[in-house]
Amino acid sequence: MKRFVFLALVFIIFISNAHGDVYSPNRSLYTLETKFFHIIFPEESRSAAAYLATFADSSYDEIAGLLGTEKRYKISVVFTPDSEELNGSFTNYPYLRILLYQAAIDPDSGLGSFNNDLYKLFYHELTHAVSLTLRGPVQNILVAVFGTPLGISVYTTPLNFTEGITVSFESRDGFGRAADPLAGAILRQDIIEGNWKTFIQTAGAYDDVPGGNLYYLYGGYFSKMLQDRYGMEKYAKLWQALGSGLLSRPFDDWGYWPGHFSRVYGFTLETAWAELKSLMSIRVPVVMDVSPIREAAPITAICATPLFLYYADSAKKELLRYDPAAKIEAKVLDAFYASRLSASADGSKLLISTHKIEEGFPRLELREMDTASNKVRVLPYRKLRDASYTAAQDIVAIRMDGYQTDIVLAGASGIKVLLEGSERIAYSNPLVSADGLWLYALARIDGTNSLVRVNLNGSSQIQRLETPVGIGWLRYLSQSEGILRMGWDDDKLYRLAEIEGDTVRWQTTPISGGVHDPVAVKSEVFYLAHFSNGIAPCLFPQNRDQLGMTEAPARWLPADELLAPKSAYDSPPASGEKKYNEAFWMLSRFWHPTLNGDLENGISSLGIAFYMQDPIDRLDAQVWAGWNTLSSLPQWSIEVGINAWAYPISLNASDSFTVLPVADPGDLVSVLRSSSAGASVSGAWQTFAGSEISWILGTGAFAYSTSSGSAGMAYAYRFWDSINLTATGALGIGNFKYGTNDPDYALGYRFILLSRNLAALFPSSAYGLSSGLETSLAFKATPLELNVFGAFAPLGQMVYNSSGFFLPNSGGSLGGSASYPTYAGFAGKKSGTWYAQGEAKLRIIHASIQSGAGGAYANRLYLEAGARGALATPGTWHMDASAPDYAATGFGRLTLTWTPAFGMAAQIHPQSWIEIWINPETGKYGIDFSIIAEY
């Protein structure tokens, strides 16, 4: 009988459990309709939904007008306040949807150039919805019949254009990433270091630092250049060509075949890309002599005490301390991330603004560390970030209120609001002067950052620094020894600005890497420099003569308008809202026909697949119904996801038929009916120590029967010959640190324990209860990697070998792949109730290539060598009970990481490998390979 593989649960470990449902906990939802939008929101987002409704339709009208198209779709927009970090997304599956996380932007971040958080976030995602639905007549027919996922341009448009248009459109008013010198400095630094990226690299092919940011930043500046220099009409024409003809004609020229770009603009893409490089080049002297104190890494925050520097490495998940006097770096904490660090005046305590993953969402958290013992405690405050100590050891911080920010004082007496924000006014970097008299902060007012101060002696006096002419885009505020320090830029690189007493002084000559987050230890200024390969703490030059330091009187102007700002979120709720109805959305809005077959048997089945999903991802379903042409019988399958609770639940059921091969043409045809049903629940979380834990539990049933001859449908649907029950559970824990310049570098471990159980329900005498335990332990310290796998069948009814497991009493019909890999060289080894295998390998060569031609791009090449071993112990089945069965091989493997640099596919980086192995005992050898091993 053909071997039948029973229901197996796929357990993917160490990927954070992303809840499908965008709300946790679930609560009542409402909808607000405009002409072109369904706005869905909970109570906490009512004011944001009402505000969005005032400009959503006009934004659609504006973007459609810029691209020369019509408003043709009704789009769902979902608000969630449950993530405390701003983000958004657009999808066309299974219909057009926009998701908006209701959180305020950190003005020091890469999105800090927005002048209205909600407006710009929505405008960005809506630009995706409009630009990626530009289609030709044939595509429009396909979409009208089957649904929006068949809009081909979503998948074929280069990523630096997919994101470039959104970044350029968000920046049309002068506030957005394509207008922000913080973003532009990444391009300028690449030019300075001779590391300018090609068009293909910024379309997703390049996988070194900063990776995925490139198609936003290069793409945004490139699209903005095309719009500004050659007009929106040509730019819109290019997008119309991308939407209707990217499959029939390439984007770039192909030999003598002109692509869409040159047909629209009259010159090549290469010429335009060179023009962008010229436009972004810095045309003033840049000081190249910098003094890093350690190698570059993704450093996210830095602060200073009277004696030390502290900074956070998010890749290695470490808090580090640097002693400037001894020039020694030491690790302080593991499992570490910080958006801001701040030290008490005496250096005894460190305040850490961070976040944790809670119920699948990032939630803000403040932690306090004792610098003598390195002990950390979580402070009892919610939705606070960007925190620092006052002289009285209270905390001044930014409190998020939806898309707004307030400055608050937190202490023993509770939380007091010092300054309120609005959609126009956002605050960051609050700190209190050493004498406790002044609160300082950066205020982003209509997109422009200013330094403000508030008198804390009860007078409520508020002032704004009159920024010297030419000084703009202020970020990063710190203080030490009575000196305030910031960074500023004017479309070159960030430079230092200081305020001491009644004087403001600033650096005019840029230095390579820019000056970000300046802090001081004993009058020595340190800062973070943003290089092409990461961020490094640096010592600011002691000799400032080369930096063009300039000074002027510090003038403070009244800013009383900040004391009681009016906010659009304070407006009355919009009328016409309704209760959210889930059922309405579960009608299928996307479907397609299916066809299965092979060269030997031809077409084996025809069918239709339907996809249903509600906008909040609380429920989703896939239903397939088909006709098996070989057996002339119907078959079907259904998968349902329920994400309404803390842990997602998956349900599935299927019924299918397979015509079994016959030994002789005259034999009767046999048809195998396979039926199954199952359910699983899974979860994941992070521990305080940084370990990631995942688990899954599942149960199911599968049944089969065989019918022969021409008995027809009635006989095929008779009662099953065998019904079996399964139960599977898995638990995994791991902790990895990652490298900066090698995406495959890792240091850490991973452990997985899996249990699978199988019992015959009917007939009960077919075989007894069988059970198997499988474990895996991986340890990586690149270039060394160790992997150990073990399996045990405690009841003796299941056996393991190098290929997986099976139940001998079932006649070989029940079995499947185990959780461990199948190694070449061990095929055909005997089976046992105990089985173990392992691998040790060493990376000998790692070559970063980062180049390619056309859509073929090579990222990196690895050469590895190592040894493997396997051991099966004596057992009941297929074993010589006198001795264990073991084997060992040596191997060498050459692995290439590459990128299919075409449209959305450029986001994946497959690995292909070829391996030579040999068994030294038997002399047997072989060559194994895989075109696509993993992503």
Side-chain angles (χ1 to χ4, degrees), residues 593-598 601-607 624 626-627 629-630 635:
T594 65
L595 182 151
N596 295 309
D598 54 45
N601 299 309
I603 297 174
S604 59
S605 70
L606 299 171
W624 177 81
W627 182 259
T629 59
L630 302 180
Q635 49 194 19

Side-chain angles (χ1 to χ4, degrees), residues 459-639:
S459 66
S460 298
Q461 181 185 15
I462 184 168
Q463 300 173 330
R464 178 178 58 84
L465 178 71
E466 183 181 47
T467 308
V469 176
I471 306 300
W473 294 95
L474 299 179
R475 279 183 166 98
Y476 324 119
L477 181 61
S478 70
Q479 69 170 343
S480 64
E481 299 176 349
I483 301 176
L484 293 171
R485 292 183 175 86
M486 299 172 290
W488 75 277
D489 201 351
D490 59 352
D491 289 328
K492 295 179 181 66
L493 296 173
Y494 262 85
R495 281 149 281 172
L496 177 68
E498 296 177 326
I499 300 174
E500 184 173 13
D502 296 328
T503 300
V504 55
R505 55 180 173 265
W506 63 97
Q507 167 195 354
T508 60
T509 302
I511 188 169
S512 179
V515 178
H516 306 259
D517 294 280
V519 297
V521 178
K522 291 185 176 179
S523 75
E524 283 190 318
V525 177
F526 295 85
Y527 65 96
L528 297 179
H530 292 197
F531 299 116
S532 283
N533 66 336
I535 301 172
C538 297
L539 175 64
F540 196 75
Q542 298 292 323
N543 179 6
R544 297 188 172 192
D545 295 340
Q546 60 181 332
L547 302 178
M549 299 300 295
T550 303
E551 64 179 42
R555 297 185 58 211
W556 295 90
L557 307 176
D560 294 340
E561 70 275 11
L562 301 179
L563 289 177
K566 293 182 179 180
S567 173
Y569 298 104
D570 297 333
S571 302
S575 59
E577 66 179 44
K578 301 177 182 177
K579 290 282 284 186
Y580 172 71
N581 183 359
E582 241 166 25
F584 168 77
W585 295 99
M586 292 307 291
L587 298 174
S588 179
R589 288 169 169 81
F590 172 51
W591 69 279
H592 61 80
T594 65
L595 182 151
N596 295 309
D598 54 45
L599 294 177
E600 181 180 355
N601 299 309
I603 297 174
S604 59
S605 70
L606 299 171
I608 301 177
F610 298 91
Y611 302 86
M612 290 79 76
Q613 192 168 23
D614 69 341
I616 64 172
D617 289 343
R618 185 175 290 172
L619 287 172
D620 64 83
Q622 299 177 24
V623 178
W624 177 81
W627 182 259
N628 188 298
T629 59
L630 302 180
S631 64
S632 299
L633 293 168
Q635 49 194 19
W636 57 271
S637 68
I638 182 170
E639 297 179 17

